[in-house]
Amino acid sequence: MSRRTLAVARSRPQNRGMDAPRARAFEPPAAAATAPSTAALALLALGVVYGDIGTSPLYAAKETFSPEHGIPLTPDNVVGGVSAIFWALMIVVSLKYVALVLRADNRGEGGIMALLALAASAVRERPRLLALVLPIGVFGAALFYGDAVLTPAISVLSAVEGLEVGTDAFKPYVVPIAVGVLVALFAIQRHGTGVVGLAFGPVCLAWFGALGAVGVWNVLQAPRILAALDPRHALAFATAHGAASFLVLGSVLLAITGAEALYADLGHFGKRAIRIAWFGVAAPALVLNYFGQGALLITRPEAIANPFYLAFPPWALYPMVALATAATVIASQATISGAFSITQQAMQLGYLPRMAMRHTSASTIGQIYVPGLNWLLLLVVGAAVVGFGSSSRLASAYGVAVMGTMLATTFLTYFVLRYRWRYPVTLAIAATGVFMLVDATFLAAAMQKILDGGWFPLAVGAAMFAVMTTWRRGRELLLERLRGGSPPLGAFVESLLASPPGRVPGTAVFLISSADSTPNALLHSLKHYKVLHERNVFLHVEFQPVPRVDIAKRVEGERLADGCWRVLVRYGFTEDPDVPAALERCASAGLVVEPMEATYFLSREKIVPGADEGGMARWRDRLFVAMARNAGSVTDFFRLPANRVVELGTRVEI
């Protein structure tokens, strides 16, 4: 039997009527528009990247100096607390994320799922390390969903609480107003963020400008606060008050919430724009504002009730409430969009089932909308706002999710440094060890508040971890069962054509779960129809642990026999699969698939829990079956024409 490669990537003439000119259609299209300037990207990054950390002054200083910690609000303690916030920003954000983690990009993409894929590929030849990397990375990603719930809740609620500063009459309406803002925010998600996104940069630039200006004004009233630049004050604050010092670190870390966005949005803005936005605008404004709040507390300790809003003159209160609400909506929008993106990546990498997903922009990559996740997030966010009732109570829950994800990021970065970039072990430990110690200390401090609300993000993370690991393990078991129950594709085709059934015109495209497995859909088709199509394409879609696959490597394949082809289509975890478009690339190599003559045969498995001891626990079996039954349509996921699809079922026990 003749076996010839489909030179789809680098087409060359074939024999037996397959001569074709060199493929030009596979060259990447020329850029249609000039890329945005670094200045424009830096301006947009202010809203998308720094929206979350930029709204932390609304609650971070207030919680750090809360009387509940038992630390007296003396000038020395205020200087020490502000110093702790300042050095947390410098060590965790400036050094860890901006200087180190931004370097660990997965072909230009960032985020914990991209980092997990990078670290896993680096240790794939070391099973023991891989068994350690995968669960920690997945749990860090799962905790991100807890962050996606708490960021909108605490940000919007803390902004609206400014109304209470003006008059107590607004107090009963704070929670309803916050819920109303959140409902409106989630309701507009289906329209995309293009129009709102145009205002992200300017609004956040005004926000950071206001933060810096009021900070300078207050620092001039009490210049003593500048002593907080000395790290010895931070060290004294963190050690001089016994258990209270350790506990208060759980509030200090609120100043660095949102730092993970620097890495998650790397692919959208690039390192240069993110760094310029941080060092040029965000960091100076945040530092000045925290110093300003500290100066206010030195001169007016009673301002601890709400040091952010009380730092402004009375006439600016309500304009700042409006600006803060706009800024928190932007911060929430960025987190929601991040949840959509990480969900897409998790689906492509095999950690979540297919979900209905819509692209909300024809020109901007990455703007997606996941309806089911959107409304689930709204439900959980609304429950958090109503259940916790105040930003102070939400703050107790917030740190656990944030620091858990940050610690997982640092952990994965070590494996990239050591096994991907081949750094000496001592250098890799030195580069990540200090940050891991800082992250672990902050996480331990945050865990002290588990009973006060820290259980909430842990519960969300644990639920998502169970879902993600169950889906991945269930798919592995399912593929093992399918491969074990079907003959090798090459041998089956050879035996089939030795005594071929009747042939009918047209092209049959069989989607196969692995490159060498015979699809159940073909077996059932032969059983029921007793015919074979004129052309038969066995197509396997493979998602690789990279953001995007080079166009030259998108489609490969080989001719198995007369009229039978095996095609491999590769995609990255940020790309959307399009099977008909991939088949068009085969035309230059001689495999011509006419859209109106092609029929797509899919195998639909009816999965039932089994008694096999080598499988999963019974509850996980049932969870996997439920997810599989409710997974999104394969037809929609691969963009198959619905009127050209035939599904043939089979029963599979796992």
Side-chain angles (χ1 to χ4, degrees):
M1 179 175 59
S2 173
R3 299 168 67 94
R4 288 181 292 175
T5 299
L6 267 176
V8 175
R10 294 171 292 277
S11 179
R12 54 180 179 265
Q14 302 285 329
N15 298 324
R16 297 187 185 179
M18 292 179 60
D19 292 349
R22 185 171 296 276
R24 295 180 181 176
F26 307 125
E27 297 298 323
T34 303
S37 66
T38 301
L41 288 174
L43 179 62
L44 289 173
L46 283 179
V48 178
V49 178
Y50 298 112
D52 187 358
I53 196 171
T55 54
S56 296
L58 284 164
Y59 47 81
K62 175 184 176 182
E63 297 307 317
T64 297
F65 298 110
S66 173
E68 294 182 2
H69 297 312
I71 298 178
L73 200 61
T74 63
D76 286 343
N77 286 336
V78 170
V79 170
V82 171
S83 183
I85 291 175
F86 171 76
W87 285 104
L89 287 169
M90 294 302 102
I91 294 173
V92 176
V93 183
S94 296
L95 292 180
K96 174 187 168 182
Y97 279 96
V98 177
L100 175 64
V101 175
L102 282 184
R103 290 168 47 86
D105 64 291
N106 192 335
R107 298 193 183 182
E109 289 291 332
I112 192 165
M113 290 304 297
L115 184 62
L116 173 60
L118 195 64
S121 65
V123 298
R124 64 179 179 274
E125 303 299 332
R126 297 174 172 83
R128 292 184 179 179
L129 292 181
L130 187 61
L132 179 65
V133 164
L134 286 177
I136 291 180
V138 172
F139 190 65
L143 283 176
F144 179 85
Y145 288 95
D147 189 8
V149 168
L150 292 175
T151 293
I154 192 172
S155 298
V156 173
L157 189 55
S158 60
V160 177
E161 283 175 345
L163 296 172
E164 299 177 8
V165 177
T167 171
D168 289 339
F170 280 111
K171 190 169 185 176
Y173 305 103
V174 167
V175 170
I177 291 173
V179 171
V181 170
L182 290 167
V183 169
L185 173 62
F186 281 93
I188 67 172
Q189 294 302 310
R190 66 181 184 274
H191 300 297
T193 61
V195 175
V196 180
L198 295 176
F200 278 16
V203 169
C204 280
L205 185 60
W207 170 253
F208 282 115
L211 293 185
V214 75
V216 171
W217 183 64
N218 281 279
V219 167
L220 292 176
Q221 314 304 313
R224 177 181 176 181
I225 194 64
L226 295 176
L229 294 170
D230 187 340
R232 290 176 296 180
H233 291 286
L235 183 62
F237 182 76
T239 58
H241 305 284
S245 293
F246 183 69
L247 185 63
V248 81
L249 291 178
S251 298
V252 171
L253 67 85
L254 296 174
I256 57 176
T257 56
E260 189 74 18
L262 275 79
Y263 184 48
D265 289 304
L266 175 60
H268 295 123
F269 301 100
K271 301 173 187 176
R272 181 176 173 81
I274 290 175
R275 286 167 174 161
I276 289 175
W278 173 250
F279 289 114
V281 178
L286 289 172
V287 169
L288 287 172
N289 191 264
Y290 284 122
F291 274 62
Q293 291 191 51
L296 174 68
L297 293 176
I298 289 176
T299 57
R300 294 171 51 200
E302 68 276 8
I304 189 59
N306 198 317
F308 177 81
Y309 281 114
L310 290 174
F312 289 88
W315 61 265
L317 175 61
Y318 293 111
M320 281 307 300
V321 171
L323 182 58
T325 302
T328 55
V329 165
I330 291 173
S332 303
Q333 174 63 66
T335 304
I336 295 168
S337 298
F340 292 160
S341 295
I342 200 172
T343 298
Q344 179 195 30
Q345 295 179 16
M347 283 192 292
Q348 313 295 52
L349 291 171
Y351 287 100
L352 285 176
R354 295 179 303 273
M355 301 182 195
M357 187 173 61
R358 293 206 327 252
H359 287 264
T360 58
S361 173
S363 58
T364 304
I365 297 175
Q367 288 197 15
I368 58 176
Y369 170 61
V370 185
L373 178 62
N374 184 69
W375 301 118
L376 178 62
L377 279 177
L378 173 59
L379 180 65
V380 182
V381 169
V385 170
V386 174
F388 285 92
S390 71
S391 61
S392 293
R393 295 184 64 191
L394 278 168
S396 298
Y398 199 18
V400 175
V402 172
M403 294 314 305
T405 302
M406 286 186 176
L407 183 58
T409 296
T410 307
F411 180 82
L412 295 177
T413 301
Y414 167 79
F415 289 94
V416 174
L417 291 174
R418 179 69 184 96
Y419 297 103
R420 182 82 175 189
W421 297 347
R422 305 295 181 182
Y423 280 25
V425 63
T426 53
L427 184 57
I429 292 175
T432 59
V434 173
F435 301 123
M436 197 170 295
L437 178 62
V438 171
D439 291 343
T441 302
F442 276 130
L443 179 61
M447 294 290 283
Q448 302 298 313
K449 299 183 179 181
I450 284 185
L451 297 180
D452 295 327
W455 59 268
F456 183 77
L458 285 179
V460 173
M464 287 304 304
F465 181 78
V467 166
M468 295 171 77
T469 54
T470 297
W471 179 255
R472 185 170 180 86
R473 179 57 181 158
R475 288 294 299 173
E476 290 173 351
L477 292 173
L478 177 61
L479 292 177
E480 288 176 6
R481 301 293 190 274
L482 292 175
R483 283 194 293 265
S486 64
L489 179 60
F492 180 81
V493 169
E494 185 174 3
S495 63
L496 177 66
L497 295 184
S499 180
R503 306 292 283 260
V504 296
T507 302
V509 181
F510 296 92
L511 270 68
I512 54 179
S513 57
S514 64
D516 195 41
S517 62
T518 301
N520 284 319
L522 173 61
L523 301 176
H524 286 288
S525 176
L526 291 171
K527 175 182 177 181
H528 293 291
Y529 304 133
K530 298 178 175 60
V531 294
L532 194 66
H533 281 72
E534 180 183 6
R535 286 178 300 276
N536 298 272
V537 179
F538 303 98
L539 187 144
H540 174 57
V541 178
E542 178 181 279
F543 289 99
Q544 298 194 331
V546 295
R548 290 167 295 277
V549 171
D550 293 339
I551 200 71
K553 299 179 180 178
R554 173 74 72 206
V555 183
E556 291 183 5
E558 63 182 345
R559 181 174 177 172
L560 297 175
D562 183 29
C564 295
W565 307 79
R566 174 161 49 195
V567 176
L568 172 64
V569 184
R570 299 184 181 91
Y571 292 100
F573 58 76
T574 63
E575 296 180 302
D576 297 317
D578 189 334
V579 167
L583 286 173
E584 290 179 5
R585 298 183 179 278
C586 300
S588 62
L591 175 59
V592 179
V593 179
E594 294 292 341
M596 298 309 296
E597 294 182 4
T599 301
Y600 296 88
F601 287 87
L602 307 180
S603 300
R604 174 174 285 273
E605 298 87 10
K606 181 178 180 181
I607 306 169
V608 295
D612 189 354
E613 295 182 0
M616 299 184 291
R618 181 55 62 109
W619 69 269
R620 295 185 72 190
D621 279 341
R622 292 175 177 172
L623 175 60
F624 177 73
V625 170
M627 287 191 290
R629 289 175 179 171
N630 291 280
S633 167
V634 176
T635 301
D636 294 338
F637 187 70
F638 290 117
R639 298 191 181 184
L640 305 178
N643 60 347
R644 308 295 304 176
V645 173
V646 174
E647 293 188 359
L648 298 172
T650 184
R651 179 185 174 93
V652 181
E653 185 177 282
I654 63 169

